[in-house]
Amino acid sequence: MERQIIFTGIMSASSAENPDFYNWNRVKIRYCDSASFAGDAFDKGTGLYFRGQRIWEEAIRHLLSIGMASADRALLTGCSAGGLAAILHCDQFGAFFAGRSTTVKCLADAGLFLDAVDVSGGRSLRSYYGDIVAMQGVAPHLPPTCTDHLDATSCFFPQNIIDNIKTPIFLLNAAYDVWQIEESLAPSKADPSRAWRACKFNRSACNASQINFLQDFREQMVASVRGFSGSKSNGLFINSCFAHCQSELPATWNGTPTIQNKRIAKSVGDWYFGRAEVKAIDCPYPCDNTCRNII
């Protein structure tokens, strides 16, 4: 965990790179608990304390105490596990500003992890999430609008909670999320014959059957946001790229990819400041030639 990191993309202080948010107070809360700041338990077997939820709450209280309480605008954002954290904690973040005139919104980048079937017919990510939720005592910190009718592991998946988030939220995701391809759809345990090894690291090595499998994954992602996109306060940018985390990289934040000639930075800014409604879903691969694919 480096003592210094460079703020780029949505965190940049450059008006050219980050025109809508460059002059904001920007804070990064370093991530270390493996449960998107949602755990609070002691594991006797390992002797480990998991305190993600407490760390999250104290970090926000601290920021409020040193000036954030008087903010006109606030945006909770995160990428990957941080994107999931932004989804899980979005309404909690909004509640910290209750009674104030602050405009509060959230942005989840690459946090739309799906409860998907892997290449073996199993559910690798669900198994992994189930272990995290149990070991870290996550259940009490999940949205009650989900846990009142689904099990805790299901409520760790964004597809089961995004429709009931009250605070405005923007979902930025690659439809062919490379982390999910490599770790959820085709992890080594689910692919003992290594039939997916070449494909999951190089899209041009995928055969027709594998491409169809990935297209089905995209369709699941698009279907998961159907209800969510019905809310005028929410925003959406799902591009057909093989990528993971696009808001903190200068090239992807305010360069390419685009959907209908609109960059990610412009899309998020238009949504946050109410300049336009943004519900952008790309056509399926390989139609988008603006992508910066990483596999």
Side-chain angles (χ1 to χ4, degrees):
M1 187 174 283
E2 315 94 312
R3 293 202 174 269
Q4 278 194 322
I5 55 174
I6 299 169
F7 280 18
T8 57
I10 194 173
M11 302 295 283
S12 173
S14 162
S15 60
E17 182 181 331
N18 188 27
D20 279 315
F21 305 103
Y22 75 95
N23 59 351
W24 286 39
N25 296 302
R26 288 150 289 119
V27 179
K28 179 166 281 201
I29 304 173
R30 299 310 299 270
Y31 170 66
C32 60
D33 75 322
S34 294
S36 294
F37 294 108
D40 191 357
F42 172 65
D43 186 76
K44 290 181 181 177
T46 60
L48 292 174
Y49 290 87
F50 297 100
R51 294 291 186 247
Q53 181 69 29
R54 299 190 197 189
I55 292 169
W56 147 258
E57 290 175 0
E58 286 307 314
I60 300 304
R61 287 194 185 101
H62 171 69
L63 294 173
L64 289 166
S65 75
I66 61 172
M68 191 169 72
S70 60
D72 294 323
R73 291 178 288 269
L75 176 63
L76 176 68
T77 181
C79 143
S80 195
L84 175 57
I87 292 170
L88 292 173
H89 296 290
C90 186
D91 279 340
Q92 296 173 25
F93 186 64
F96 276 109
F97 293 89
R100 308 180 200 272
S101 59
T102 312
T103 298
V104 181
K105 299 187 180 185
C106 307
L107 164 64
D109 177 9
L112 191 53
F113 297 99
L114 297 184
D115 187 3
V117 175
D118 63 34
V119 297
S120 71
R123 291 185 181 269
S124 294
L125 189 57
R126 183 176 184 85
S127 174
Y128 174 60
Y129 275 7
D131 289 345
I132 289 174
V133 167
M135 181 172 67
Q136 297 209 30
V138 169
H141 312 295
L142 296 171
T145 51
C146 181
T147 54
D148 64 5
H149 66 284
L150 291 176
D151 62 274
T153 300
S154 295
C155 295
F156 203 62
F157 282 98
Q159 67 201 70
N160 297 317
I161 59 179
I162 54 176
D163 289 359
N164 291 309
I165 295 174
K166 302 291 185 258
T167 308
I169 184 168
F170 191 105
L171 300 180
L172 165 62
N173 230 94
Y176 310 93
D177 186 295
V178 296
W179 189 92
Q180 294 190 67
I181 291 172
E182 293 168 11
E183 303 296 337
S184 172
L185 299 183
S188 298
K189 284 185 178 179
D191 182 36
S193 68
R194 297 162 67 93
W196 276 81
R197 181 161 179 78
C199 171
K200 72 179 182 179
F201 294 120
N202 178 7
R203 68 190 188 285
S204 63
C206 300
N207 61 36
S209 173
Q210 290 168 330
I211 289 293
N212 285 339
F213 189 87
L214 297 178
Q215 298 292 26
D216 181 66
F217 177 74
R218 173 192 173 274
E219 288 173 13
Q220 291 176 57
M221 185 174 291
V222 171
S224 75
V225 299
R226 225 162 252 145
F228 169 89
S229 65
S231 168
K232 285 193 171 184
S233 66
N234 293 332
L236 203 57
F237 191 103
I238 296 182
N239 53 22
S240 290
C241 304
F242 286 78
H244 183 71
C245 288
Q246 301 175 92
S247 64
E248 288 190 46
L249 299 173
T252 50
W253 171 244
N254 198 22
T256 56
T258 61
I259 298 180
Q260 296 177 342
N261 297 317
K262 199 168 183 177
R263 298 174 179 180
I264 293 170
K266 181 75 162 66
S267 300
V268 173
D270 282 354
W271 161 79
Y272 187 91
F273 292 100
R275 297 188 297 245
E277 194 172 329
V278 181
K279 304 285 168 58
I281 297 180
D282 214 351
C283 48
Y285 173 82
C287 73
D288 190 342
N289 60 11
T290 71
C291 283
R292 290 179 181 268
N293 296 306
I294 59 175
I295 64 166

